[in-house]
Amino acid sequence: EADETKPVDPVNPDSMFIFKPDNPVRRACHYVVNLRYFEMSILLVIAASSIALAAEDPVATSSNWNKVCVFTFMYMIDQGLILHDGAYFRDLWNILDFIVVVGALVAFALSNNKGRDIKTIKSLRVLRVLRPLKTIKRLPKLKAVFDCVVTSLKNVFNILIVYKLFMFIFAVIAVQLFKGKFFYCSDSSKDTEKDCQGYYIDYSKDKKEVKRRDWKRHEFHYDNVIWALLTLFTVSTGEGWPQVLQHSVDVTEEDRGPSHGNRMEMSIFYVIYFVVFPFFFVNIFVALIIITFQEQGDKMMEECSLEKNERACIDFSIGAKPLTRYMPQNRHTFQYRLWHFVVSPSFEYTVLAMIALNTIVLMMKYYSAPPAYEAVLKHLNTAFTVLFSVECVLKIMAFGFLNYFRDTWNIFDFITVLGSITEIVVDLQVIRKTRLSIDRVTLKERAFLFDSSSLHSFL
C-alpha cells in the first residue's frame, strides 16, 4: 500500500504493493528491461531454447538442454501485476510468457524429485512447445500478422461454414455418381465378385506366381457421405488425387470391376470441384486476410496527419520511375517514318494477331500425326518465324541498336526470335544428315545388288 503521508503517483503506482517507484530493486529492474539490447538478448535466448527443445532427447528426461535464463519476474516487478494500467497481467502475451515460465519451473522442480510420477512431468513439459510464440510479442511485424489472423477468424469461420456446405453438396453428388463402383478384383480379367473366385497366375514379375483372387475396394471411395467427404478433402489437398481421378474415369456399374477410360466424362466433376474449392475458396481466404491486414494498417495510420489518398500519392511519387521512349528527332528521315510505322496501333495489332495464330499452330500438334500434316505445320511455323524476324529487324532500324535493347520486352522478343531461328537451322541440319545417311544406305544396297547380279551372270 502507498504511504498515507505521501500521495500516490498515478503515473508510476506501487508494484505489488511493495516496490515504490524509487525502490532500488524496481529501479534496477526497470533499468535492465529498458536496455538497448535487452529485447535482442531475449530473442536470442528464445531462439536458443527452441533449438534446444528440437534437439532434446525425449528419452533422457534429465537432459540439461532445458536450462534457460528467465527474466519474467523482472518485468513483473517493473510493471506491477494487474491493478493498474500497463500492468504485467493486462497483456495477453505476458500471460502466455508467465504460463510457459511457470510450467517450465514446475517441470524442472518435479524432475529433481524422483518420487513424483513421470507422467505429470511429461504433461508439464508439453508447455515448452509454446516458447517460440514468445518471439511474436517482441517482433512488431510478426505481432501485426498474428493480430491480423486473429481478427479475421470471425469472417473465416463464416466462409468455412459455406465451404463445408458446398463440400457436402459435392459429396452427395459424388455418392450418386460413384457409389458401389470403386470395387475391383485382384485379377484384372474378372469384373464381378462372383467371378473373382479361386486362383490365378501372376505374370507381372520375372517368375510366375499363383495368387488368390480377392474382391477389394479402393482405399478412398464414395459409398456413403462420410467417406465421400473424406475423399473430397483428400482431393482438395492435392495429394494422391490423380489415383482417385483414375479410379473415377474407370468406373462401370455398381458391384462391377473397372474398365480403363470407360467414363472420361466423370473428370468434369473434378474440374468443377477444383475450380470451386482449391482455387475459389482458397483465394477468398487469402483475400480476406489481406483485406484485414490492410484495415489494420489503416487504423494504425489514422494518427497520421495525412489522409490515405495523400499517403498513396506520396508513396507512388517516391517509387515511380520515369518512362522513357525513343523518338527520332528529324521527322523528315526514313528512320522517323519507320519508327512511326512500328509504334502505330495497326502494326501492334497485326503482330498480336500473328502471335495468336502462331499459338494456334503450336496447339495443333498431336501424337502420330500424318507426315504431310506435320510438314504443313512446320512450314507455317517457319513462316511465322520469318515474320517475327522482320518485326525485330524493323524495330532495330527504327529505334537504333542501343535504344532497342534498353527495353526488356524487346530483349525477350529478340531472344525468342533467335531461339526459333536456331531451332529451324538445327532441324535442317538433322534432315540433311538423315538424307545423307539414307542416300549412303541406298548406294550400298545398289552396289550389293549389282555385285550379286554380276556374280549370277558369271556363273
Side-chain angles (χ1 to χ4, degrees), residues 200-414:
Y200 71 102
I201 301 176
D202 186 9
Y203 295 95
S204 60
K205 298 182 179 180
D206 296 336
K207 60 180 180 179
K208 300 179 182 179
E209 186 177 357
V210 178
K211 292 184 178 180
R212 182 182 180 85
R213 294 190 180 96
D214 293 321
W215 187 250
K216 300 179 181 180
R217 181 171 58 185
H218 293 294
E219 294 180 355
F220 293 99
H221 54 84
Y222 299 98
D223 287 355
N224 53 64
V225 175
I226 303 300
W227 269 103
L229 289 171
L230 180 61
T231 305
L232 290 177
F233 177 76
T234 305
V235 170
S236 64
T237 61
E239 295 292 335
W241 77 272
Q243 289 78 12
V244 180
L245 174 62
Q246 185 64 49
H247 299 158
S248 301
V249 299
D250 292 345
V251 297
T252 53
E253 300 176 0
E254 292 186 13
D255 297 325
R256 292 189 67 89
S259 177
H260 184 71
N262 183 59
R263 300 289 300 277
M264 293 299 297
E265 65 273 11
M266 291 300 178
S267 59
I268 301 175
F269 173 81
Y270 291 94
V271 173
I272 299 175
Y273 180 79
F274 261 94
V275 170
V276 173
F277 285 91
F279 297 155
F280 183 71
F281 274 104
V282 170
N283 290 331
I284 286 180
F285 282 119
V286 174
L288 178 63
I289 294 176
I290 291 175
I291 292 173
T292 307
F293 190 80
Q294 292 177 347
E295 291 177 351
Q296 284 196 343
D298 293 339
K299 290 181 181 178
M300 294 175 62
M301 296 298 293
E302 285 180 354
E303 300 177 357
C304 182
S305 59
L306 298 177
E307 295 182 356
K308 180 179 179 181
N309 295 331
E310 294 175 343
R311 294 197 306 271
C313 291
I314 293 175
D315 294 337
F316 176 78
S317 301
I318 294 174
K321 296 181 180 180
L323 179 63
T324 59
R325 189 174 186 181
Y326 173 78
M327 183 179 68
Q329 297 180 357
N330 191 355
R331 298 191 176 185
H332 300 287
T333 59
F334 174 76
Q335 185 182 8
Y336 177 80
R337 296 176 183 175
L338 187 60
W339 173 86
H340 189 270
F341 172 70
V342 299
V343 298
S344 61
S346 58
F347 181 81
E348 294 294 336
Y349 289 144
T350 304
V351 173
L352 184 61
M354 290 192 301
I355 294 173
L357 292 175
N358 190 17
T359 305
I360 295 174
V361 170
L362 294 175
M363 293 171 56
M364 294 173 66
K365 292 184 177 180
Y366 63 92
Y367 178 70
S368 67
Y373 181 82
E374 291 185 351
V376 171
L377 294 182
K378 186 177 293 184
H379 290 311
L380 289 175
N381 189 26
T382 303
F384 282 116
T385 302
V386 172
L387 293 175
F388 292 138
S389 301
V390 172
E391 178 210 359
C392 183
V393 172
L394 291 177
K395 286 188 175 181
I396 291 176
M397 294 173 61
F399 294 108
F401 188 80
L402 295 178
N403 293 318
Y404 176 81
F405 286 102
R406 286 178 180 175
D407 191 350
T408 307
W409 289 107
N410 289 337
I411 297 174
F412 176 75
D413 291 342
F414 182 81

Side-chain angles (χ1 to χ4, degrees), residues 101-131:
V101 170
V102 171
L105 291 177
V106 173
F108 177 71
L110 293 178
S111 63
N112 293 329
N113 188 354
K114 298 181 179 180
R116 295 287 182 179
D117 187 8
I118 193 65
K119 293 183 179 180
T120 306
I121 300 174
K122 289 184 177 180
S123 61
L124 291 174
R125 289 160 70 92
V126 172
L127 295 174
R128 296 177 303 166
V129 301
L130 301 176
R131 285 179 187 169

